[in-house]
Amino acid sequence: MYDHKTIEPKWQDRWAKARAAEVDLGRAADKYYMLMMFPYPSGDRLHVGHGRNYILGDALYRYLRQQGRRALNPMGWDAFGLPAENAAIKRGVHPQDWTLSNIAVMKEQFKKWGILYDWSKEVTSCLPDYYRWNQWIFLRMLESGHAYKKKAPVNWCPSCQTVLANEQVVDGASERCGTMVEQRDLEQWFYRITAFAERLLAGLDTLTGWPEKVKVMQRNWIGRSEGAEIDFRLPGIGESITVFTTRPDTIHGATFLVLAPEHPLAARLFAEHPDREALAAWVEQVRSTPRIEREGENSPKVGKDTGAVAINPATGEEIPVWLANYVLPDYGSGAIMAVPAHDTRDFLFARQENLPIRAVYRREDTPADTAEWTEALIGNGTVTGVDARFDGSPEGKPTIRAFIDWMAGEGWGRAKVTYRLRDWLISRQRYWGTPIPIVYCASCGLVPVPDSELPVRLPYDVEFTGREGNPLSRNADFVNTVCPRCGGPGRRETDTMDTFMDSSWYYLRYLSPKDGARIFDPELAARWAPVDQYIGGIEHAILHLLYARFLCRVLHDQGLVPFEEPFKNLFNQGMITRFSEASGRIEKMSKSRGNTVSPDELIAEMGADTERVYTLFLGPPEDEVEWSDEAVSGAYRFLNRLWRAFEALDNAPGTGVADAELERQRHIAIKRVTADLDRFKFNTAVAALMEFQNAITRALEEKSASRLVVGEAIDTLCQLLHPFAPHITEEIWSQRGHTESLLETEWPKWDEAKLVRDRIEVVVQVDGKLRDRFEIAADATETEAKAAALASDNVARHLEGRVLVKAVYVKGRLINLVTRPA
RNA sequence: GCGAAAGUGGCGGAAUUGGUAUACGCGCUAGACUUAGGAUCUAGUCCCGAGGAAUCGGGUUGGGGGUUCGAGUCCCCCCUUUCGCACCA
């Protein structure tokens, strides 16, 4: 039996001693920068579901090493965040103590997995050495106008006790805790990511090494929309309202305006209305409605007439102005022109409220449910104003362009592009994060902390009560300070930064983690970044990966990095699922669902190599796969068979008759595993290695191959298997008498000439159906193959009563005899 | 509703260009070793039928049609599942 309990720690210690993963960034001739998502200590330890990311990465790393590439493979800790703070409240542990002890545990887990990280590049985001640079970036953003504070309706999570960015709200609920968020008007810090919308969009087209799926998600999230702004005069209050539309060509059919109830002009519009108090109350009600309820699929459209009118600039007619919940305050200008004849939502609303409908086009790709109506209305004369000039251009685009030009000439409309993307809300009302470096001074106002006073340290002594409000704001020593500008009394900002800030640039800090003078070394960044290969889960598609792309552009504009895209190639590993007793369903493996498997127990029982091989064998790495407790033993048996084959080598000399065939198998294995690893097909690479191992065992049992050839086969198997099962392969390799670590050996090469056989099996089909097979010389001609096929009894039986029409010969594979009835 | 990906044994899944469907593993069955085994090893295992057996015949990649000597793979229609978007003007 393979004694993994002794062997694995032995090799882990040796690798640690040799500091096997360390790269001298200044000297390495070759450069390849790979990265895995850095762990977030939301629990106190990692489970086998997490392992997929890191085991995959380590396998890739070891493969690259054997190919002679000394890749940079660093790891760090995304250590700030709510889970630690919540744990502090729940268990009475300080978040810092909790986090740092979790890090120690996880680091030990990585070691037990046999994962080689370059720990000389380690970063920990909750330490001032790191987070001071978050503050430094904040100050640069403030200088360039990319950071600002404003009062706005924001997402408040009552469970997390803080606001959240739009990206962190999924289906109306907090992405982290699942609680429904509320809308609150609060003054908050934002990063102006919207200013980069166009560049973020354009960059996606250059990311050929990213999964299409992630790019689509980012494009949707940015939500670029081309159209026009149109001004409508409001004669009642002497103002005008600007609407955004993608269909300015339908303006002749705009029979009313609809404003979001939150629109700044709303109150003035219904100021003279007899029911103005009821209207104001309704506006308040809409404002506090959770987004999900308001924007949900079946949410009813509710609207109120303000009593005011606007002038349609194209027709000169007075049209009513309404407020309705289906118009959103933060998209476009928060106001629309309603064209019920050509827009489904406007149509439904017009019909519900008995508002006029006027068609502009007869033939058009009008929404299906309004087209019929439009036709009917035109038919009975209810609808007027079909303009022959614009009727009948289904292409739309040239007409729209012409319209915008016309409106621009008239002076009340212009081309406009809007985005769905909102600015990134970065302030959080929580303790465990980077303090925002701002001081409020009674005489100077809002004063940034100068660079020389960074870092603004997060105080350790803070009271955790779980009560509403940031514990930082109750810490007088932190809050009370002096104004950096006038020296008078000041109060510190007590909001901390979104922890996604930490992960948005960490890949650069890895390159000079101890630099006390600079955020990172720009020369090393230019040389090593962007990251060549990033491996992480799909869940970060519009969170981390969007923020990191944004921040990369900010740093680029500061002249700190020469590139705009941080990650050249992205691989999304799928998640691992397992049956959960609690829900009775198969779900993502997670601590909260209680369906995790501990790697520590698994490693104690069957070894880290077993877990690694099984994790990679489980299924295609990009797919979601279900963990099976039973199937793990298959990987364990495989490694044990390898070990027994190695042990059997000494006392089982063979005849050598199968030497050529085993040698051929060896070359096949090299070719298959190499091709599979190059395509990230780890699961089929393992399968190929199992087949090769079976061939070796067979040769040993049959005593058909010579000791030398079997020994070489085992050596090659060790080299090929090393990325998957590093410990057992190192052990066998060294016991075989090799002195170098497998990490330093050269990845084996295959010889095409060795793959061919002199005799091959050819399949005979009659009319496409398999009837027989025979062996023939590999270079046999069609005539020879046909003769051999016809010599078969079974083939003859099927040719009976039929006439041979032709034969199709695929060299080295099959011959198909085509017949017709006699 | 729109967009994308996928559907193969009891299960996870293989199958570069159209060329032996079901590799590899789990599970299952039988046997060996054993005081015992939920350990280990060996053999068998897509389904149906015939045969004592080696074998032989038929069927099979969600369903239906097509192209082709030949289709899991290409084309058309339909069904299902998963993911993304969804009152975005």
Side-chain angles (χ1 to χ4, degrees):
Chain A
M1 285 290 284
Y2 164 47
D3 178 17
H4 66 263
K5 283 184 195 171
T6 309
I7 290 170
E8 294 190 343
K10 176 174 116 189
W11 284 99
Q12 286 156 15
D13 288 343
R14 286 199 194 174
W15 293 325
K17 219 170 176 182
R19 302 171 85 85
E22 273 184 33
V23 176
D24 183 334
L25 297 175
R27 268 188 225 154
D30 187 21
K31 85 114 199 159
Y32 191 87
Y33 186 3
M34 53 184 290
L35 193 60
M36 273 140 277
M37 292 286 174
F38 65 176
Y40 187 73
S42 58
D44 45 2
R45 51 187 57 233
L46 298 161
H47 55 71
V48 300
H50 295 119
R52 205 174 192 199
N53 186 204
Y54 310 115
I55 289 170
L56 199 81
D58 190 62
L60 180 65
Y61 171 76
R62 286 172 184 268
Y63 173 55
L64 293 168
R65 271 294 285 269
Q66 288 178 82
Q67 285 194 325
R69 311 199 68 166
R70 200 168 176 103
L72 171 60
N73 189 23
M75 177 48 74
W77 313 95
D78 194 5
F80 271 140
L82 266 180
E85 192 167 347
N86 289 339
I89 293 163
K90 205 167 136 193
R91 306 167 189 235
V93 198
H94 192 280
Q96 182 172 308
D97 301 341
W98 163 256
T99 303
L100 294 179
S101 76
N102 286 346
I103 287 173
V105 169
M106 286 184 213
K107 211 167 169 180
E108 197 53 38
Q109 286 186 296
F110 279 130
K111 189 182 173 190
K112 283 190 189 166
W113 262 328
I115 293 179
L116 303 180
Y117 285 123
D118 189 337
W119 292 112
S120 68
K121 315 290 189 291
E122 180 180 6
V123 301
T124 306
S125 68
C126 66
L127 299 179
D129 279 354
Y130 187 86
Y131 69 69
R132 69 174 290 182
W133 301 109
N134 286 342
Q135 296 172 339
W136 184 88
I137 291 171
F138 177 90
L139 295 173
R140 301 292 84 73
M141 301 272 266
L142 201 63
E143 286 163 3
S144 59
H146 290 315
Y148 66 93
K149 196 177 190 187
K150 77 164 179 194
K151 189 171 181 178
V154 293
N155 308 298
W156 172 265
C157 174
S159 161
C160 302
Q161 291 283 315
T162 182
V163 298
L164 299 172
N166 277 1
E167 288 80 9
Q168 289 149 38
V169 178
V170 177
D171 292 331
S174 160
E175 172 253 343
R176 182 137 285 151
C177 72
T179 308
M180 296 309 265
V181 302
E182 298 164 3
Q183 296 304 119
R184 288 196 184 179
D185 275 339
L186 294 170
E187 209 175 330
Q188 297 292 319
W189 286 100
F190 291 86
Y191 278 168
R192 210 180 291 280
I193 189 171
T194 52
F196 293 79
E198 205 57 50
R199 283 163 69 184
L200 287 167
L201 209 48
L204 288 175
D205 297 331
T206 69
L207 293 174
T208 49
W210 278 41
E212 202 49 44
K213 190 178 169 178
V214 175
K215 290 192 278 186
V216 167
M217 283 169 77
Q218 291 213 355
R219 274 191 204 103
N220 285 338
W221 188 257
I222 294 167
R224 183 181 200 272
S225 188
E226 253 179 64
E229 271 181 348
I230 302 177
D231 306 323
F232 286 71
R233 281 193 301 115
L234 298 164
I237 59 170
E239 298 267 1
S240 80
I241 278 185
T242 303
V243 306
F244 173 73
T245 176
T246 53
R247 295 296 306 276
D249 56 317
T250 62
I251 188 166
H252 292 86
T255 48
F256 56 101
L257 292 190
V258 190
L259 275 54
E262 296 90 337
H263 195 283
L265 287 176
R268 283 176 65 193
L269 287 170
F270 62 72
E272 305 299 318
H273 198 285
D275 285 336
R276 54 187 169 271
E277 277 164 31
L279 279 167
W282 174 77
V283 167
E284 266 323 298
Q285 186 211 317
V286 174
R287 192 192 288 272
S288 58
T289 306
R291 286 188 86 95
I292 185 77
E293 215 170 289
R294 175 161 171 188
E295 297 173 34
E297 195 177 356
N298 299 314
S299 315
K301 293 181 178 25
V302 183
K304 305 281 181 192
D305 189 353
T306 63
V309 294
I311 308 295
N312 181 326
T315 63
E317 287 170 340
E318 286 193 345
I319 58 173
V321 181
W322 283 61
L323 307 176
N325 63 349
Y326 79 92
V327 175
L328 308 174
D330 52 5
Y331 184 76
S333 58
I336 62 160
M337 62 176 204
V339 186
H342 304 299
D343 180 278
T344 313
R345 292 152 315 158
D346 296 343
F347 174 76
L348 292 172
F349 189 69
R351 208 162 49 151
Q352 175 186 312
E353 303 293 343
N354 267 318
L355 287 157
I357 300 171
R358 173 180 296 167
V360 181
Y361 297 109
R362 278 177 203 277
R363 300 183 304 278
E364 208 231 341
D365 53 336
T366 318
D369 47 351
T370 60
E372 199 182 318
W373 270 77
T374 308
E375 283 301 320
L377 292 165
I378 293 167
N380 69 19
T382 314
V383 171
T384 56
V386 177
D387 191 324
R389 281 180 304 169
F390 307 114
D391 191 12
S393 171
E395 292 82 13
K397 283 273 170 190
T399 313
I400 288 174
R401 182 58 47 84
F403 245 97
I404 293 174
D405 291 344
W406 170 62
M407 292 188 313
E410 300 280 314
W412 42 260
R414 64 212 76 88
K416 169 83 180 170
V417 177
T418 58
Y419 302 90
R420 207 183 74 130
L421 182 70
R422 301 271 70 88
D423 277 339
W424 177 14
L425 198 174
I426 58 140
S427 35
R428 297 289 179 274
Q429 291 68 50
R430 296 298 301 234
Y431 162 73
W432 193 231
T434 305
I436 293 175
I438 289 289
V439 172
Y440 299 99
C441 168
S443 45
C444 308
L446 187 156
V447 183
V449 175
D451 285 359
S452 58
E453 289 177 29
L454 296 185
V456 175
R457 283 175 187 272
L458 189 65
Y460 183 86
D461 292 318
V462 168
E463 202 192 344
F464 298 98
T465 57
R467 275 187 292 137
E468 181 154 356
N470 185 343
L472 260 192
S473 59
R474 293 192 290 268
N475 181 309
D477 285 348
F478 177 78
V479 173
N480 299 321
T481 185
V482 290
C483 170
R485 193 166 293 162
C486 69
R491 291 178 62 81
R492 284 197 191 279
E493 171 66 81
T494 58
D495 279 0
T496 52
M497 290 183 204
D498 182 1
T499 57
F500 276 103
M501 184 59 203
D502 306 335
S503 53
S504 291
W505 62 280
Y506 73 110
Y507 63 98
L508 295 165
R509 186 67 186 172
Y510 278 149
L511 301 172
S512 48
K514 295 175 185 78
D515 196 326
R518 293 176 296 188
I519 178 168
F520 55 80
D521 179 336
E523 274 168 41
L524 287 179
R527 182 158 137 71
W528 284 87
V531 173
D532 293 283
Q533 182 65 58
Y534 201 4
I535 306 173
I538 186 79
E539 66 273 16
H540 290 106
I542 54 162
L543 290 158
H544 163 60
L545 290 171
L546 183 65
Y547 297 142
R549 295 183 62 231
F550 160 55
L551 222 80
C552 188
R553 283 160 172 78
V554 170
L555 297 171
H556 172 268
D557 292 357
Q558 292 280 331
L560 289 164
V561 293
F563 47 85
E564 295 203 4
E565 290 295 345
F567 313 120
K568 251 200 284 197
N569 295 292
L570 174 67
F571 184 84
N572 288 128
Q573 89 277 358
M575 63 188 183
I576 290 185
T577 62
R578 185 164 175 259
F579 182 78
S580 158
E581 297 284 347
S583 69
R585 284 203 311 265
I586 295 162
E587 292 182 303
K588 177 182 181 173
M589 194 180 281
S590 75
K591 205 179 169 189
S592 61
R593 294 182 178 90
N595 62 344
T596 56
V597 174
S598 155
D600 306 280
E601 286 165 35
L602 188 63
I603 288 170
E605 200 184 335
M606 295 191 246
D609 283 340
T610 296
E611 188 196 337
R612 292 172 61 118
V613 167
Y614 179 65
T615 297
L616 296 169
F617 181 61
L618 206 46
E622 67 276 18
D623 286 1
E624 179 183 306
V625 286
E626 191 190 339
W627 183 272
S628 155
D629 298 327
E630 288 173 326
V632 188
S633 57
Y636 188 51
R637 281 180 206 143
F638 163 54
L639 296 178
N640 273 307
R641 276 197 293 270
L642 167 62
W643 186 259
R644 274 199 308 277
F646 159 64
E647 284 182 327
L649 196 55
D650 282 334
N651 41 23
T655 60
V657 294
D659 279 358
E661 179 54 22
L662 191 59
E663 181 65 0
R664 202 177 73 86
Q665 294 293 337
R666 191 171 77 88
H667 284 270
I668 289 174
I670 298 169
K671 185 178 181 178
R672 282 176 63 185
V673 172
T674 307
D676 286 346
L677 288 182
D678 287 340
R679 291 182 300 156
F680 271 76
K681 303 214 69 169
F682 292 84
N683 57 326
T684 50
V686 174
L689 290 165
M690 286 172 166
E691 284 183 65
F692 184 36
Q693 197 281 315
N694 288 339
I696 293 172
T697 297
R698 206 176 311 121
L700 279 167
E701 269 170 14
E702 292 169 356
K703 298 190 188 299
S704 57
S706 67
R707 199 189 144 169
L708 182 73
V709 171
V710 178
E712 276 177 9
I714 287 176
D715 281 349
T716 300
L717 181 54
C718 283
Q719 289 182 283
L720 298 177
L721 184 61
H722 181 254
F724 305 85
H727 310 87
I728 187 173
T729 48
E730 284 274 31
E731 181 65 22
I732 293 176
W733 182 256
S734 87
Q735 286 200 29
R736 286 269 303 147
H738 301 285
T739 48
E740 255 186 332
S741 162
L742 274 170
L743 275 172
E744 312 304 332
T745 66
E746 198 182 334
W747 187 254
K749 292 187 174 60
W750 76 91
D751 180 355
E752 282 291 333
K754 291 276 177 61
L755 300 180
V756 297
R757 278 193 274 208
D758 30 334
R759 291 189 72 76
I760 48 164
E761 191 183 61
V762 168
V763 166
V764 193
Q765 297 179 337
V766 177
D767 294 320
K769 279 198 198 306
L770 180 81
R771 294 306 176 191
D772 206 353
R773 53 191 79 205
F774 58 87
E775 260 200 15
I776 195 167
D779 56 355
T781 62
E782 176 164 356
T783 319
E784 287 165 337
K786 193 172 164 186
L790 291 171
S792 156
D793 291 347
N794 204 37
V795 168
R797 202 161 34 243
H798 286 93
L799 290 177
E800 218 161 281
R802 301 190 71 85
V803 181
L804 188 58
V805 179
K806 68 166 170 174
V808 180
Y809 180 52
V810 182
K811 198 165 185 184
R813 287 190 175 270
L814 60 81
I815 180 158
N816 189 11
L817 305 173
V818 186
T819 71
R820 62 173 168 78

